Amino acid sequence: MARGKAGNDHAAGGPGPGELLSPAQRLDWLRLIRTENVGPRTFRALINQFGGAAAALEALPTLARRGGRLLPPRMPDLAEAEAEMAALARLGARLVASGEADYPIALRQLDDAPPLICVKGRGDVLQRPMVAIVGARNASAAGRSFAARLARDLAGAGWVVVSGLARGIDAAAHEASLDGGTVGVFAGGLARPYPPENLGLIEKVAATGAIVSEMPVNWEPRARDFPRRNRLVSGMALGVVVVEAAERSGSLITARLAGEQGREVFAVPGSPLDPRAGGTNRLLKQGATLVTEAADVIAVLTPMAGRQGPDAIEAEGPAMEPAMPGEDARARIVGLLGPAPTLIDDLVRLSGCSAAEVQIVLLELDLAGRLDRPGTGRVALK
């Protein structure tokens, strides 16, 4: 992995021990990922194109204008970024960049892994192999009891249990695995814990394990933030165990995301008379591994635990001036796009443009709010 330094930092000071970024670069990364229309995939593309966040921030208004946006995207200034860092510090939390020591190893391999995560608690637990346990909020007594036993046994075998800190199955799994270190993922910011009745549990998780969020520190969670949170729960883990889940539940979204991420999916069978088992029984019909004890999970995941690679966003390199495509090239690329997802490789081949030119045009459209990135290597017009 590259370890260069950006040539356009606005402040001196190199990275500290175990850090990838200097303080100035960390603030630039924070400003960039908090900019309107910049998600993890766009962030990665900008860093790759411009060599660093500072250069990308400078280029953003021009890129968005070329993409058809009249006003530049909303971009936090330096004072706002410093205020968020200070708020995290007051909570006893910190920002961790992809590739740094406390960034979860499995998570950094995802195409849409957040470049920065907010972490409160012990960083060492984030480096150990994880298993996600998820399930119904209105879980049965039997479901909660089984989730607790499974989590306790997995923690006793050295696995870190990760979940979403919700009521029901999530809470039972966290509570039972506190001694082994457990990881909870927030849908909102770290200053907005949810649900309120789990505040005591959240404090215990932060004391013995870690709390993680990719959202701004004061972000109030909304309905659409929970599926986004779920991709982190599954992304941190090598496998996801669904204990109880009704049809069309959030837990099934997590299972679907796990499959898309290449994670193992496990399910606990339940009575066909209980609607809370409808989702888990369907997962079993679709090929999920049946779980009746922790050994079922451990046997499948143990061979994978040593194969987690160090893929991550590369460190910042020298500032670059990418060649901007001409109007003819831009028109050819945009003309090939439509509402149906298209492979980026096909855009390069059919447009006759270079991969760099195609990426610039896609960034322009993205920053103008006109591009959708539905999956790895595919794009579509909104």
Side-chain angles (χ1 to χ4, degrees), residues 31-47:
R31 291 180 62 205
L32 185 58
I33 194 57
R34 297 289 187 251
T35 294
E36 183 183 6
N37 293 334
V38 175
R41 291 187 179 97
T42 306
F43 181 99
R44 183 187 295 267
L46 285 164
I47 293 293

Side-chain angles (χ1 to χ4, degrees), residues 145-212:
S145 176
F146 183 82
R149 187 179 78 188
L150 184 66
R152 190 177 301 111
D153 291 348
L154 286 168
W159 291 83
V160 171
V161 172
V162 56
S163 195
L165 290 163
R167 308 174 185 92
I169 297 300
D170 289 21
H174 284 304
E175 189 75 50
S177 57
L178 286 170
D179 289 344
T182 180
V183 175
V185 186
F186 276 10
L190 291 189
R192 295 290 182 267
Y194 182 87
E197 61 264 36
N198 280 353
L199 283 176
L201 173 61
I202 290 168
E203 291 176 1
K204 288 190 284 187
V205 170
T208 62
I211 302 291
V212 172

Side-chain angles (χ1 to χ4, degrees), residues 109-135:
Q109 299 169 343
L110 301 185
D111 181 58
D112 62 347
L116 291 170
I117 56 173
C118 306
V119 176
K120 181 178 181 180
R122 293 169 45 195
D124 62 298
V125 300
L126 298 173
Q127 293 304 294
R128 289 161 48 197
M130 299 188 203
V131 178
I133 298 179
V134 299

